Amino acid sequence: MNTNLKDVQNLKDTRGVDIQKVGIKHLELPLIIQRKNESNQVVSAKAGVNVSLPRHYKGTHMSRFIEVLSEWKNKNLLGVDIKGCLHTIAKKLNAQSAELEFNFKYFIDKKSPVSKILSPMSYDCSFEGKLINFGKKDEDYKFTLGVKVPVTTLCPCSKEISSQGAHNQRAIISVKISYDENSHIWIEDLIEMIEKCGSCPIYPLLKRADEKYVTEKAYHNPKFVEDVLREAVLKLRENKIINSFEVECEAFESIHNHSAWAYQKEN
């Protein structure tokens, strides 16, 4: 390696502007996620990572982000483990704050309700970590776990006013939760809890008997997006491990050219 190459990033900048966040986005890499059943799942993740940049540095060292992430992709992540990765990034880049996000599809084998056939169901999930005041007494770290859970919703109003049938649709319940690093919530458990808030779960494979089951279950369990949101809020409040959360429900209306939507955030 030629050690005489000029390091432009380390040159002084005289404009006096501290940059709050600088880094990389949309880096694709494999990631090993620990599962509840003590096995591992390798997922394809998209990573974004950034640090603060003091005013006297012309630029950050982008290659160092890749170096650290390439090392950490081989660890079996529980999410809260991101703290160690952020410590390494902040140290290597001489930064006071750092943020890291992984977005990935997580697969869970799910049984159809009547035929009991197992099929893989995918869920959009995320790990987010934020580190501020690195190396100081008031250093603070926050981890956030995110899941997007598809469900069926059936309109109570449509059921009430119609002599036959009621309109239903697929909805997405998006949840982000934060909890202490010495605690843990499994992705599988969070998905199962949130899934119960819809009119009926969604399954990857349905035989005729299964289709009859989910159609009738939704019909006898009608819910507005407001109903779904309130039930999710209550379940999240009841979980003593969770410090803060945000949740939203978007129903892709089958008889309208718009979505119905509800949102709540609590600390």
Side-chain angles (χ1 to χ4, degrees), residues 166-219:
H167 81 81
N168 55 39
Q169 52 276 316
R170 184 167 54 90
I172 301 293
I173 309 173
S174 301
V175 177
K176 289 188 175 183
I177 62 171
S178 293
Y179 49 87
D180 295 336
E181 59 188 286
N182 57 353
S183 301
H184 184 66
I185 293 178
W186 294 103
I187 294 175
E188 293 90 338
D189 290 341
L190 181 57
I191 288 172
E192 183 180 1
M193 177 176 69
I194 296 302
E195 195 173 53
K196 295 175 181 177
C197 299
S199 294
C200 182
I202 282 180
Y203 300 88
L205 184 149
L206 295 174
K207 306 298 283 186
R208 281 192 293 271
D210 301 309
E211 188 170 352
K212 171 180 166 62
Y213 172 89
V214 299
T215 301
E216 293 176 346
K217 181 175 177 62
Y219 185 78

Side-chain angles (χ1 to χ4, degrees), residues 22-254:
V22 58
I24 60 174
K25 280 185 164 186
H26 309 305
L27 172 68
E28 296 188 4
L29 75 168
L31 205 63
I32 303 173
I33 308 295
Q34 288 191 39
R35 300 171 63 92
K36 186 180 179 181
N37 64 6
E38 299 183 355
S39 66
N40 297 321
Q41 181 174 146
V42 179
V43 301
S44 176
K46 282 191 175 181
V49 57
N50 66 75
V51 295
S52 58
L53 184 69
R55 64 185 62 191
H56 50 275
Y57 286 119
K58 184 173 182 64
T60 193
H61 292 79
M62 298 291 183
S63 62
R64 294 180 185 175
F65 293 124
I66 311 297
E67 289 174 355
V68 176
L69 292 177
S70 295
E71 175 188 351
W72 277 79
K73 73 178 177 62
N74 296 317
K75 298 183 182 291
N76 300 339
L77 289 181
L78 280 172
V80 289
D81 302 329
I82 287 176
K83 182 179 182 180
C85 185
L86 286 173
H87 272 180
T88 303
I89 289 170
K91 184 176 181 179
K92 278 183 173 288
L93 293 162
N94 193 27
Q96 292 186 356
S97 65
E99 296 179 350
L100 173 60
E101 180 178 2
F102 291 116
N103 292 284
F104 55 93
K105 285 195 178 292
Y106 188 77
F107 288 86
I108 298 175
D109 286 334
K110 193 170 181 180
K111 283 185 180 180
S112 49
V114 179
S115 60
K116 306 300 181 184
I117 301 174
L118 274 177
S119 299
M121 178 92 171
S122 67
Y123 298 88
D124 290 323
C125 300
S126 63
F127 290 158
E128 299 176 28
K130 294 184 179 181
L131 177 70
I132 61 173
N133 298 325
F134 168 64
K136 299 182 179 179
K137 289 184 179 180
D138 59 345
E139 178 181 298
D140 185 49
Y141 169 71
K142 182 178 181 180
F143 169 72
T144 302
L145 167 63
V147 298
K148 293 185 177 181
V149 183
V151 296
T152 294
T153 58
L154 186 133
C155 178
C157 183
S158 175
K159 178 180 177 180
E160 182 67 26
I161 64 177
S162 303
S163 59
Q164 299 180 51
H167 81 81
N168 55 39
Q169 52 276 316
R170 184 167 54 90
I172 301 293
I173 309 173
S174 301
V175 177
K176 289 188 175 183
I177 62 171
S178 293
Y179 49 87
D180 295 336
E181 59 188 286
N182 57 353
S183 301
H184 184 66
I185 293 178
W186 294 103
I187 294 175
E188 293 90 338
D189 290 341
L190 181 57
I191 288 172
E192 183 180 1
M193 177 176 69
I194 296 302
E195 195 173 53
K196 295 175 181 177
C197 299
S199 294
C200 182
I202 282 180
Y203 300 88
L205 184 149
L206 295 174
K207 306 298 283 186
R208 281 192 293 271
D210 301 309
E211 188 170 352
K212 171 180 166 62
Y213 172 89
V214 299
T215 301
E216 293 176 346
K217 181 175 177 62
Y219 185 78
H220 294 297
N221 191 26
K223 291 184 181 180
F224 294 123
V225 290
E226 296 93 332
D227 297 315
V228 175
L229 185 88
R230 285 185 172 121
E231 292 192 19
V233 165
L234 291 176
K235 289 182 181 297
L236 293 167
R237 284 178 181 173
E238 289 170 0
N239 192 310
K240 302 305 180 183
I241 293 178
I242 297 173
N243 296 328
S244 62
F245 65 83
E246 58 181 307
V247 54
E248 65 179 279
C249 178
E250 180 178 4
F252 306 100
E253 297 288 280
S254 60

